Amino acid sequence: MRGIEEKWRRKWAGAGVYEPKAGKGKKKYITAAFPYPNSPQHVGHGRTYTTADIYARYWRLRGYNVLFPMAFHVTGTPILGMAKRLREGDPELLSVFENIYGISRETAETLTEPEALVMHFSREIEEGMKEIGYGVDWRRKFYTFDRHFNKFVQWQFRKLRQKGYVVKGTHRVAWCPSDSNVVSAHDTQGDVDPEIEEVAGIKFRFGDGWLVAATYRPETVYGVTNLWVDPKERYVKVAKGEEILYVSEKAAKMLSLQFHLDILGKVDGVDLVGKEAEEPYGRKIPILPAGFVDAGQGTGVVMSVPAHAPYDYLALRDLGMFGKLGPIVMLSYPGMRPGSVPAGEIVERMGIGGQNDPKAEDATKELYKIEAHTGIMGIGEFKGMKVLEAKEKVKVRLVGEGKAFVFYLLAKGPVFCRCGAQVGVKMVEDQWFLDYGDEGWKAAVREWIGKMDVMPEAVRKDYLATVDWLKEKACTRASGLGTPFPFDKSKIIEPLSDSTAYMAFYTIAHLLRDADPEELDEEFFDYVFLGLGKGRKEWEPMRKEFLYWYPLDSRHSGGDLVRNHLPFFVFNHVALFPEEHLPRQIATNGFVMMEGKKMSKSFGNILPLRKAVREYGADVVRFSVVAGADLAQDTNFERSVAEGVRGRLEHILSLLEYADADGNGRMEKWLKSRMSRRLIALPSLYEGLEMRALAQNVFYEVMHDLQWYLKRAERPKLKWFFENWAVIVSPFMPHVAEEIWHSLGKKGFVVDAKFPECSEGMVDAGLEMGEGLVGMVRYDVEKISERIGAKPKKVFVYVPAAWKFDAYGLMREKKALRDLIEWGKGSGVDMAEVSKFGKGLMSRVHSLPDVLPAEGEYGALRDAAGFLSAELGAEVVVRREEEGGHAKAGNAMPGKPAIVLE
RNA sequence: GCAGGGGUGGCGGAGCCUGGAAAACGCGCAGGGCUUAGAACCCUGUGGCCUAGCGCCUACGCAGGUUCAAAUCCUGCCCCCUGCACCA
């Protein structure tokens, strides 16, 4: 198999089959998301590319000029970390390289620079793509750190800025103060996702300044009875602008990432205890000690609402002060007993001992859920309003009155960086954004998504939902490979922002090989991509190339890009190009699992693409990664299935010996009829990328047909079959198809052949029904033999009486016994029989299937009598019910002949 | 919390949009064929019961409803998966 594959790949390449010329006839331009070369590809990566390649190959067969290019996305930071770890000789990574990627230590030691690393994996991936037979136009290959490409991206950002879509502002990120770096989930201890949440810091007048309590429930300020501090912690007096605040020392450290704070002095928590503070509406409340206060979260000060917060209730009870202070019940909800204290009730119900009882956390969550979602405010300006709405109103009001300020902290905190330091929330100044929150831009994007083809269609909703919640996207990073940001060259454009319009760049990439990147200025790209300005003579070919290939006809990627890359891609196209150059279609697919499990390094179950190709052959791998499930679903790569595919393929190739002849007998007509059905159905299946149905129609069901044909035909004549099958299967299995094509003595390549035209006229439903009948009779006879435990010597098959066919047709049409009885009166048939027949059909009168006419049924069975005799090892006699001879003959129904065994 | 998707045999999954004989196709398993043997391949079977097949019964997360007819349409409930960003 491998020899065959390599032979055809070489011939295709030699003939430049996949290097289309612009400007000739109808075209299809198809791209798949370019790979990030930080590892070799596994079979999972193969799914998207194979899907796109199949799609591209289908359109070639339909006579389109098809462009399917590929490049490498080397932008990003992970590759920097990987190079660093290689430099340091990280044993874990070296082991992954050796055991999973198959890269020797000696080679790994040469890959300590990011550039060397990406080039190594790019070559590896490119080789793999060639080996699996993707019809890529490699002349257009580029890397996203190429200077030509950098110029293109910078042009793109200039255009976006001219439209006001590139903006500058502050931005909050999870931040490690020790590393001075942005922290994401894989940088934290325990891989905690550092989720940023907004909280209200409510100010309580205290001495010369304010004690600040952080809360998610600002609306409960009306129920506050006291403040909590941790007596064992140290607190600090700080200046935030004009204001003087008191917070815990640990909290101050975290807050200083968000605000400029000057530390003025220190005070021990225990010294705060017993003092008084004033809540925003003037009530004096005491400051009390509590053990549950976490000085590292929020501000280290907690406002106490004992009626609605189990912790506050418990801490107050632990102090023996419950009842002396409040409680103030400030909201109610359906099902709450009048006069009850919700926090007290839940604490009693759950039998919670004190503030250190772990169950207190569950009680808090449960009560919060009820109160936040169903609660109604009972006191204050917002009395009668839903808690859910009041929450926001109270916050805005307090902030407006200077009695609170908004800040951010990490949910589920405290979160720790791998280096050990506590992670905080930092406000980054001078951050550049792409303003995907711009309503005008969004509206245009929504409109275009409405017009585009989306496959699978169900995903359209996801795109629209994503567009709705998209807002400013930080588009630069401090480091990494890629394109320098044109308005601040010290920054690099981050990977999801430099990969949104590169499909346009492919159209000219091969013509820029020898160009000086410095000459690729705004004027150049304006002319080539937008037709602006006068242009120069030497730019003409590129302008033509772009105008020919654009718009992009189909974009392919994994479903994981639906929430980021793909909407960005639409946003950027909408911003840059006129409507006639906007993408026409997006197709996304699910993941590939390995033997039912997610592929991952830790499971050690990653099957590299090139290894799979070596083991099973390119065509088998291509088929296996796409045919197992519909586009949207996750699919499963199973070795047993791949082996099954390979086995069937070998079987089918062994039938090539029968490809020397054509025939026009009953069974050849039958096979042509079956195939014609598929040929007629296939275009819409290919165009809709209905992978599961395609797999059935070009492979599995074709096998079934062949098996029946081989059983029924005297001497197989498969020339016509192979001539057509080679073409329709070639998108999935181009190498095998090419081999068949040439063994038939065909000229040219099958990958360039014309998709077989087929007319309805070649479908013979009657013939197929007849064969169905033959199969059914065989099945029934075997069933009966089994039941009576004896092989028959003679089998009588009775075709029903002619009148039954008329009666059946009448029942199908009228669906009423009365009409049949009327008909029976004039037919001369015994009325008892007519009535019995009709009653038998009544229960399923709404779903009677189409059947052959009497002569057709008789003819089909008579023709197959010899075959049935041989199969059943008994003489088979086909008779008409009218001929009589056996009592059971009367049981015959259209589509269900009576059978008598002797 | 918000958004999106999903519950069908031993398993992966068709069927749902557009109601009309659920389980296509594959995997696994069982029996048989071909082989010195094996692998591969081929054939047959695979919810239960049965008055020889053409038959009956039971099944599509749970509970209702609409209909001559519901896996499919409607209502309520239960459970599961994915995403929530600056990152590939």
Side-chain angles (χ1 to χ4, degrees):
Chain A
M1 205 74 100
R2 292 188 65 197
I4 290 175
E5 291 175 356
E6 208 183 321
K7 174 176 74 182
W8 293 115
R9 281 201 295 273
R10 196 170 299 143
K11 295 204 177 190
W12 291 329
V17 170
Y18 305 113
E19 298 177 358
K21 289 187 177 57
K24 280 185 0 192
K26 53 190 182 178
K27 63 89 191 177
K28 286 282 178 186
Y29 178 26
I30 294 157
T31 64
F34 51 15
Y36 185 68
N38 68 339
S39 68
Q41 293 196 305
H42 53 66
V43 286
H45 293 110
R47 187 172 179 193
T48 300
Y49 299 115
T50 304
T51 304
D53 189 54
I54 286 169
Y55 194 63
R57 288 176 180 281
Y58 166 73
W59 286 111
R60 299 171 64 84
L61 299 178
R62 297 306 301 260
Y64 283 74
N65 196 20
V66 173
L67 174 59
F68 180 43
M70 193 61 62
F72 294 96
H73 195 200
V74 303
T75 311
T77 49
I79 208 87
L80 301 187
M82 191 182 261
K84 183 165 166 247
R85 285 169 71 191
L86 284 179
R87 267 200 301 282
E88 291 162 357
D90 182 331
E92 196 187 324
L93 186 63
L94 283 171
S95 151
V96 167
F97 267 55
E98 207 163 357
N99 302 320
I100 298 179
Y101 300 165
I103 298 171
S104 69
R105 269 176 198 252
E106 295 76 65
T107 310
E109 277 162 17
T110 66
L111 302 178
T112 54
E113 290 306 315
E115 290 80 2
L117 208 48
V118 294
M119 291 312 286
H120 176 86
F121 287 126
S122 298
R123 274 195 296 276
E124 165 81 22
I125 291 168
E126 184 174 339
E127 282 309 304
M129 287 182 162
K130 285 176 177 166
E131 282 165 9
I132 200 171
Y134 296 147
V136 167
D137 182 353
W138 287 106
R139 296 172 306 167
R140 300 168 191 261
K141 173 181 77 173
F142 62 87
Y143 304 85
T144 54
F145 60 17
D146 287 349
R147 291 180 64 206
H148 300 88
F149 184 72
N150 293 162
K151 288 288 176 185
F152 166 71
V153 173
Q154 288 173 342
W155 168 79
Q156 180 189 341
F157 271 78
R158 280 197 192 93
K159 293 294 118 182
L160 293 173
R161 193 172 188 196
Q162 284 160 18
K163 297 190 188 262
Y165 296 147
V166 178
V167 296
K168 194 167 148 183
T170 57
H171 182 49
R172 49 180 209 260
V173 292
W175 186 264
C176 171
S178 166
D179 288 351
S180 295
N181 216 339
V182 178
V183 175
S184 54
H186 58 268
D187 301 314
T188 61
Q189 288 180 10
D191 282 340
V192 182
D193 183 31
E195 193 184 331
I196 296 170
E197 284 184 334
E198 185 182 296
V199 288
I202 300 184
K203 287 152 63 180
F204 293 80
R205 172 63 72 186
F206 174 71
D208 56 350
W210 309 85
L211 265 167
V212 183
T215 182
Y216 293 110
R217 303 178 69 183
E219 75 283 6
T220 61
V221 71
Y222 300 106
V224 68
T225 59
N226 60 290
L227 291 175
W228 298 114
V229 296
D230 185 342
K232 296 192 286 293
E233 286 288 338
R234 190 172 351 228
Y235 287 73
V236 288
K237 177 178 179 181
V238 297
K240 173 177 174 275
E242 305 280 290
E243 294 172 330
I244 291 177
L245 307 178
Y246 290 86
V247 296
S248 75
E249 189 171 30
K250 286 176 187 165
K253 204 167 156 190
M254 291 297 124
L255 287 172
S256 66
L257 295 170
Q258 286 172 55
F259 307 105
H260 180 79
L261 298 180
D262 290 312
I263 296 192
L264 305 175
K266 295 181 181 175
V267 49
D268 285 325
V270 67
D271 296 331
L272 294 172
V273 173
K275 300 222 165 68
E276 265 194 344
E278 189 182 310
E279 56 100 350
Y281 298 97
R283 286 187 291 121
K284 300 259 195 260
I285 55 173
I287 300 167
L288 298 173
F292 72 85
V293 174
D294 182 346
Q297 257 310 75
T299 57
V301 179
V302 174
M303 70 180 209
S304 171
V305 187
H308 302 288
Y311 274 113
D312 299 339
Y313 172 87
L314 287 163
L316 218 49
R317 200 179 66 179
D318 291 351
L319 286 176
M321 294 182 70
F322 185 74
K324 289 180 197 152
L325 286 171
I328 304 170
V329 176
M330 47 62 63
L331 60 79
S332 64
Y333 52 86
M336 173 176 152
R337 286 195 300 111
S340 76
V341 176
E345 201 150 282
I346 194 166
V347 161
E348 300 310 330
R349 178 160 62 74
M350 293 175 74
I352 299 169
Q355 55 183 305
N356 298 319
D357 190 327
K359 279 183 294 195
E361 188 64 38
D362 301 334
T364 300
K365 279 189 186 135
E366 190 179 322
L367 188 59
Y368 176 83
K369 204 167 181 177
I370 298 169
E371 294 189 340
H373 290 265
T374 65
I376 303 291
M377 296 294 285
I379 338 184
E381 299 92 321
F382 302 103
K383 187 173 174 178
M385 188 184 279
K386 285 182 186 166
V387 165
L388 213 52
E389 291 168 33
K391 186 187 286 291
E392 191 60 25
K393 299 249 192 234
V394 171
K395 186 175 77 185
V396 169
R397 188 185 184 113
L398 288 173
V399 170
E401 289 172 352
K403 290 171 178 168
F405 59 91
V406 166
F407 68 101
Y408 302 94
L409 53 82
L410 296 176
K412 300 173 216 133
V415 175
F416 294 93
C417 178
R418 282 185 190 267
C419 78
Q422 187 181 345
V423 177
V425 179
K426 182 179 165 74
M427 302 306 287
V428 177
E429 309 284 325
D430 297 342
Q431 175 64 54
W432 291 86
F433 298 92
L434 283 170
D435 190 7
Y436 294 136
D438 184 289
E439 276 309 321
W441 201 2
K442 278 190 183 194
V445 169
R446 279 192 202 101
E447 192 191 334
W448 189 250
I449 288 173
K451 290 181 183 170
M452 250 187 338
D453 287 324
V454 174
M455 293 195 292
E457 176 59 38
V459 181
R460 194 188 303 272
K461 265 193 256 170
D462 286 282
Y463 289 119
L464 293 171
T466 306
V467 170
D468 281 343
W469 65 255
L470 272 174
K471 42 183 191 267
E472 299 89 355
K473 156 102 181 93
C475 62
T476 61
R477 304 208 78 180
S479 59
L481 302 178
T483 301
F485 187 62
F487 313 116
D488 177 355
K489 293 280 170 61
S490 72
K491 296 203 165 69
I492 299 290
I493 295 172
E494 66 83 38
L496 284 172
S497 300
D498 79 345
S499 56
T500 56
Y502 68 96
M503 311 78 197
F505 188 74
Y506 276 132
T507 64
I508 61 165
H510 59 309
L511 301 175
L512 294 176
R513 289 265 171 262
D514 305 318
D516 174 1
E518 289 314 308
E519 286 180 14
L520 305 180
D521 54 14
E522 191 164 355
E523 196 191 344
F524 167 78
F525 288 114
D526 274 354
Y527 182 75
V528 171
F529 292 136
L530 302 176
L532 299 176
K534 287 205 297 284
R536 289 191 219 152
K537 197 160 159 261
E538 63 266 31
W539 297 348
E540 224 32 65
M542 293 182 241
R543 174 71 181 151
K544 267 193 184 152
E545 192 94 16
F546 173 76
L547 285 177
Y548 178 68
W549 293 115
Y550 248 56
L552 183 65
D553 294 288
S554 191
R555 173 80 178 153
H556 297 253
S557 95
D560 51 332
L561 301 188
V562 169
R563 283 118 200 145
N564 45 52
H565 164 74
L566 292 167
F568 298 163
F569 152 73
V570 179
F571 266 94
N572 280 268
H573 273 77
V574 165
L576 294 169
F577 298 109
E579 185 159 327
E580 68 264 27
H581 287 157
L582 298 184
R584 297 298 136 120
Q585 172 175 296
I586 302 179
T588 51
N589 53 265
F591 291 110
V592 177
M593 310 211 286
M594 189 69 203
E595 306 285 351
K597 284 203 192 99
K598 199 180 163 180
M599 255 190 280
S600 84
K601 280 181 220 158
S602 53
F603 289 142
N605 63 347
I606 293 180
L607 177 59
L609 193 64
R610 297 183 74 183
K611 189 176 171 205
V613 169
R614 278 198 299 280
E615 272 179 55
Y616 299 103
D619 289 346
V620 172
V621 175
R622 292 170 63 97
F623 187 82
S624 300
V625 296
V626 297
D630 269 323
L631 205 58
Q633 257 110 30
D634 289 350
T635 188
N636 198 4
F637 189 94
E638 286 183 87
R639 290 182 178 276
S640 54
V641 174
E643 277 158 17
V645 172
R646 181 170 57 188
R648 282 178 183 78
L649 207 52
E650 279 163 6
H651 178 61
I652 230 171
L653 285 175
S654 75
L655 299 176
L656 267 175
E657 62 170 302
Y658 301 122
D660 56 350
D662 262 333
N664 213 20
R666 179 183 169 83
M667 287 318 294
E668 280 73 36
K669 280 187 186 153
W670 177 84
L671 186 62
K672 282 182 192 178
S673 173
R674 298 287 294 170
M675 282 294 283
S676 300
R677 261 183 209 285
R678 307 196 188 295
L679 295 176
I680 291 163
L682 279 171
S684 80
L685 296 181
Y686 266 118
E687 283 157 39
L689 285 174
E690 295 180 46
M691 303 314 279
R692 196 68 204 190
L694 278 172
Q696 302 288 347
N697 273 285
V698 302
F699 196 63
Y700 291 115
E701 286 178 8
V702 168
M703 294 294 298
H704 280 217
D705 289 349
L706 269 181
Q707 279 156 3
W708 181 253
Y709 171 80
L710 291 170
K711 202 182 268 224
R712 290 279 280 124
E714 305 275 319
R715 197 261 177 207
K717 303 184 179 83
L718 292 172
K719 187 158 186 269
W720 185 90
F721 167 80
F722 275 117
E723 281 172 353
N724 287 280
W725 187 70
V727 181
I728 62 169
V729 82
S730 72
F732 284 86
M733 304 180 167
H735 309 90
V736 168
E738 201 69 80
E739 187 66 18
I740 292 172
W741 190 249
H742 287 265
S743 76
L744 295 171
K746 294 280 187 183
K747 296 272 181 292
F749 294 110
V750 73
V751 299
D752 274 335
K754 207 163 160 289
F755 197 90
E757 296 284 337
C758 216
S759 68
E760 297 280 350
M762 290 184 73
V763 175
D764 187 338
L767 194 56
E768 291 184 34
M769 263 190 265
E771 285 304 303
L773 216 49
V774 173
M776 194 182 83
V777 167
R778 189 191 57 163
Y779 175 86
D780 285 349
V781 171
E782 280 174 354
K783 268 274 140 121
I784 301 167
S785 306
E786 211 174 277
R787 181 142 309 280
I788 61 178
K791 286 241 166 196
K793 293 195 179 61
K794 211 165 178 184
V795 177
F796 294 91
V797 180
Y798 285 96
V799 175
W803 70 265
K804 285 186 176 171
F805 288 90
D806 296 336
Y808 185 91
L810 189 82
M811 285 298 278
R812 248 192 116 197
E813 188 192 337
K814 304 277 191 187
K815 305 184 198 307
L817 203 53
R818 187 177 304 155
D819 292 289
L820 182 72
I821 301 299
E822 278 309 307
W823 170 87
K825 285 176 186 162
S827 70
V829 182
D830 177 14
M831 283 310 289
E833 280 206 51
V834 172
S835 164
K836 187 181 154 211
F837 178 84
K839 281 176 184 162
L841 293 181
M842 271 317 283
S843 65
R844 54 199 176 98
V845 72
H846 292 282
S847 54
L848 291 174
D850 197 12
V851 295
L852 283 171
E855 278 319 301
E857 204 163 293
Y858 185 70
L861 290 167
R862 271 305 268 264
D863 184 87
F867 164 72
L868 286 170
S869 298
E871 281 281 305
L872 299 168
E875 188 189 345
V876 174
V877 181
V878 179
R879 284 186 178 166
R880 297 176 199 273
E881 183 186 338
E882 289 94 331
E883 294 173 49
H886 200 287
K888 283 192 185 289
N891 291 346
M893 299 285 271
K896 278 173 184 155
I899 295 166
V900 180
L901 305 194
E902 278 182 7

